[in-house]
Amino acid sequence: MKSSTKNLCVLAMGIALYVVLSLCIQVPVFENYYLCLGYVVMAVYCYSFGPLKGTLVGFLGVILYCLITNGLRGMPGWSAGNIVIGIIVGSTCKLTEKIGNILLRHIVIAFSIVISTAIAMLGVKSVIECFLYSQPFILRTANNIYAFVADVFVLIFSLPICHKTHQLLKKHFPEIS
C-alpha cells in the first residue's frame, strides 16, 4: 500500500475515533457539559504524529461530531479552538520528543495544553461566539470556563495513554509513526 494511502487511512481512523468517543462516552461534569473524550484521540495524534495530523483529527472530528449532534451550533468556535490546541500541543510534542525523562516531557506538554486550551477556549472560541450570538465577550468567556477546565482535564490525563500508544505504534507500525 502506498505511503499516502496509509497516511490517509490513519488520519481517517483518528477522525472516526474522535467522533465515536465523543458520541458514545459522555461523562457529565458541569451543567449541560460533558467531558469530550474525543480529545484523547486528538492528544494521541498530536503526540504520535505531530501538529498536522493532530490538528486535522481535532478540527474535522469536532465538525463531524457537531453535524451529527446539533448541526452548526457551536461548531465554529470548537473547530477554531481545536486548530489552536492541535498546532500548539502537536508542535510541543514534536519539539520534546528527544527529552529522555518522560515526566519532564509530560510536564512541558501539560503546560502547553493549559496555555493552548486557554487561548483556544477562553480566547478564540469566546471571540467567535461573541459575533455569532451577539453577546459580550466577558459573558462568552465566563461560559467557556467549563470547556476550558474539562478539556484541559481530558488532555492532561490522556498523556499516559499517548505515551503507551506511541510506544506500541513505533513497535508494531514503524512505517506510520
Side-chain angles (χ1 to χ4, degrees):
M1 188 182 306
K2 285 182 150 180
S3 177
S4 59
T5 305
K6 284 181 187 176
N7 283 324
L8 185 61
C9 289
V10 167
L11 184 61
M13 184 173 58
I15 295 165
L17 284 170
Y18 183 103
V19 174
V20 167
L21 280 180
S22 297
L23 287 170
C24 295
I25 305 173
Q26 295 189 345
V27 181
V29 286
F30 301 115
E31 178 183 317
N32 269 347
Y33 194 80
Y34 295 84
L35 291 180
C36 178
L37 297 182
Y39 277 110
V40 173
V41 180
M42 183 178 175
V44 166
Y45 272 69
C46 285
Y47 197 96
S48 296
F49 301 110
L52 180 61
K53 283 186 181 163
T55 301
L56 286 171
V57 164
F59 176 74
L60 296 173
V62 82
I63 288 174
L64 288 175
Y65 169 77
C66 287
L67 288 174
I68 291 168
T69 58
N70 55 12
L72 298 176
R73 190 176 150 262
M75 183 187 14
W78 286 110
S79 57
N82 280 359
I83 290 172
V84 172
I85 295 168
I87 289 170
I88 294 173
V89 173
S91 296
T92 303
C93 290
K94 270 294 182 212
L95 291 171
T96 60
E97 274 182 332
K98 301 293 185 220
I99 294 177
N101 184 328
I102 295 303
L103 179 60
L104 177 60
R105 180 177 188 213
H106 286 185
I107 288 170
V108 172
I109 295 170
F111 182 72
S112 78
I113 287 169
V114 172
I115 297 299
S116 66
T117 308
I119 294 167
M121 296 299 119
L122 303 177
V124 173
K125 184 174 184 290
S126 296
V127 167
I128 290 171
E129 290 174 349
C130 278
F131 292 109
L132 288 177
Y133 307 131
S134 298
Q135 294 177 339
F137 178 76
I138 193 74
L139 179 65
R140 293 312 312 163
T141 303
N143 199 37
N144 286 326
I145 287 174
Y146 296 135
F148 167 73
V149 171
D151 295 349
V152 164
F153 177 83
V154 172
L155 287 165
I156 288 177
F157 281 94
S158 68
L159 287 176
I161 296 168
C162 294
H163 180 69
K164 189 63 177 174
T165 303
H166 184 66
Q167 288 179 322
L168 290 170
L169 285 171
K170 280 181 17 182
K171 180 179 178 183
H172 297 289
F173 303 100
E175 70 277 2
I176 64 168
S177 58

